[in-house]
Amino acid sequence: MPMAVPSTLYLVVLFLVILPAAKSQRNQPMRLRFGKRGEFKILQVADMHYGDGKATPCEDVLPSQLASCSDLNTTAFVRRMILAEKPDFIVFTGDNIFGFDATDAAKSLEAAFGPAIASNIPWAAVLGNHDQESTLSREGVMKHIVGLKNTLSRVNPSEVNPIDGFGNYNLEVGGVQGSAFQNKSVLNLYFLDSGDYSTVPGIFGYGWIKASQQFWFQLTSASLKRAYMSKPLPQKSAAPGLAYFHIPLPEFSRFDASNYTGARQEGISSPTVNSGFFTSMVESGDVKAVFTGHDHLNDFCGALNGINLCYAGGFGYHAYGKAGWPRRARVVVANLEATSNGNWGTVKSIRTWKRLDDQHLTAIDAQVLWSKTSVGGHDVNV
């Protein structure tokens, strides 16, 4: 079934509304910034499926684990990852709570994000397809998240109306304090609501990223690119970007065992509608990697048309998994280029690896996702 395309008038109005929004965001103080060592580290947590804490049993664990296993194991894993990796930023990519088993959505959200809140590390979240199935609507869940301590999450761009979903926003990562790039965003982060389930008659399955969201992304990307390529210190191309949302795009199914790193142990549960967001990212030219959750037994990364499509792998213990296959989290690190005067410039490379919730938090599948000179798939040590 062909998708409806917004009218030309709608696009013109959206363009006029979004440009001031992107400009106003650039004028806000930087909330995220590369550290003095020229590094910015992101911890991705996918599919916590948090319920009611200690009372909520685990799924798909070994028999020896079952008696004492609950949501508290998920909480302990988040804490271990924060202590081990010391990230600069934490991203939760949906199904943060499992609504059907969460008696009070607000309390479950606060418990699920509790380790991040307590760490005083900035964090952000997007919604999955289960977050709204408890006592709060989808909008209500996102509004509650935005009100929690230390979060940089937003319900939606404040100047953009209408836009589909809840939790569409971008964050800018500034260069090192005191460097020539301290007032430029050298890494851009995009967050989108990939929806829950189709509401279009005759189309079944999961939701998708809608036209209004794609136009917001395109115009925001273009605005950020202009700022990066303008004085002072005009650059020749866009700053690299990373995109985070829950449900994988149909393009995730384009890989086989020869062209990805990691595990593919179940089908790709993408929407039946391909709304063209992958094409939008390719055309914009700045997004170097996409990070999703949703399919807990997949944790692979594969490069397609210059963009890495990456799963995080299942994290939560009240989520389906595979007994004996440890829960896991993904880490992404962007490193800056050292300048001739001993300072820091723009992003030189973006790397990733995963850690398993085992005795040693074993690191696996390290790879370079992007660098200034090459793209994707190169093995590195961590």
Side-chain angles (χ1 to χ4, degrees):
M1 178 183 291
M3 298 300 297
V5 177
S7 68
T8 302
L9 177 61
Y10 175 82
L11 298 185
V12 171
V13 171
L14 194 61
F15 182 85
L16 293 175
V17 169
I18 290 179
L19 276 183
K23 290 179 180 177
S24 69
Q25 287 178 0
R26 289 204 308 273
N27 292 334
Q28 294 174 358
M30 290 284 188
R31 297 293 302 276
L32 296 173
R33 183 177 297 284
F34 278 77
K36 293 180 180 179
R37 298 175 59 187
E39 180 178 283
F40 188 79
K41 182 183 288 187
I42 302 171
L43 168 63
Q44 181 191 358
V45 176
D47 298 275
M48 289 189 291
H49 277 234
Y50 204 92
D52 280 346
K54 189 176 181 179
T56 303
C58 295
E59 294 189 15
D60 297 324
V61 295
L62 296 171
S64 60
Q65 297 173 286
L66 192 58
S68 60
C69 192
S70 72
D71 281 333
L72 301 188
N73 291 64
T74 302
T75 298
F77 187 21
V78 180
R79 288 175 178 156
R80 292 184 74 203
M81 285 299 304
I82 291 172
L83 289 172
E85 290 288 359
K86 299 179 176 58
D88 299 291
F89 186 50
I90 305 168
V91 179
F92 297 91
T93 50
D95 282 1
N96 308 294
I97 62 173
F98 187 70
F100 288 127
D101 292 333
T103 305
D104 184 319
K107 289 183 179 179
S108 292
L109 288 166
E110 290 160 17
F113 298 126
I117 294 169
S119 72
N120 286 322
I121 296 170
W123 60 277
V126 293
L127 301 183
N129 53 295
H130 290 302
D131 288 291
Q132 77 288 343
E133 294 168 341
S134 179
T135 55
L136 289 173
S137 67
R138 199 166 181 81
E139 181 179 12
V141 169
M142 201 64 215
K143 285 183 174 179
H144 191 78
I145 290 172
V146 168
L148 297 176
K149 184 182 177 184
N150 297 326
T151 189
L152 300 183
S153 307
R154 299 174 187 168
V155 175
N156 270 326
S158 59
E159 298 88 348
V160 180
N161 187 27
I163 187 168
D164 288 280
F166 303 98
N168 303 288
Y169 55 102
N170 73 288
L171 297 173
E172 303 174 21
V173 187
V176 174
Q177 185 73 43
S179 74
F181 290 91
Q182 66 176 354
N183 294 320
K184 274 188 181 285
S185 177
V186 296
L187 179 68
N188 296 312
L189 308 178
Y190 299 100
F191 305 87
L192 296 103
D193 181 2
S194 54
D196 48 17
Y197 303 97
S198 171
T199 58
V200 178
I203 298 179
F204 302 97
Y206 294 108
W208 54 88
I209 295 172
K210 306 296 198 302
S212 63
Q213 298 167 281
Q214 294 187 51
F215 288 118
W216 163 78
F217 162 77
Q218 290 169 327
L219 297 172
T220 302
S221 172
S223 181
L224 291 166
K225 186 184 301 183
R226 283 193 298 273
Y228 191 66
M229 298 174 70
S230 299
K231 295 180 179 180
L233 294 173
Q235 301 300 298
K236 294 181 180 179
S237 59
L242 307 176
Y244 290 89
F245 46 89
H246 182 69
I247 297 175
L249 301 171
E251 284 78 7
F252 274 72
S253 65
R254 297 275 294 275
F255 302 104
D256 58 43
S258 69
N259 56 6
Y260 64 76
T261 299
R264 179 175 175 175
Q265 302 179 107
E266 63 176 309
I268 310 300
S269 299
S270 57
T272 57
V273 170
N274 190 332
S275 64
F277 185 53
F278 181 78
T279 300
S280 294
M281 290 188 290
V282 171
E283 291 174 344
S284 293
D286 62 334
V287 172
K288 307 306 178 187
V290 170
F291 301 96
T292 69
H294 192 54
D295 297 330
H296 308 174
L297 299 182
N298 294 336
D299 72 351
F300 67 81
C301 269
L304 181 66
N305 294 339
I307 299 177
N308 285 273
L309 302 179
C310 299
Y311 280 106
F315 189 101
Y317 279 85
H318 185 54
Y320 78 82
K322 183 178 180 181
W325 195 68
R327 266 58 174 186
R328 57 203 60 211
R330 182 171 291 281
V331 179
V332 173
V333 176
N335 290 99
L336 300 179
E337 192 169 30
T339 60
S340 58
N341 62 0
N343 215 317
W344 297 105
T346 58
V347 176
K348 178 182 180 181
S349 66
I350 300 171
R351 300 174 295 138
T352 187
W353 59 87
K354 293 161 293 192
R355 285 198 184 272
L356 309 181
D357 191 17
D358 59 16
Q359 183 179 355
H360 304 291
L361 286 178
T362 304
I364 63 170
D365 295 339
Q367 62 186 121
V368 174
L369 297 177
W370 176 84
S371 74
K372 279 191 171 181
T373 56
S374 61
V375 177
H378 304 291
D379 291 337
V380 293
N381 294 320
V382 296

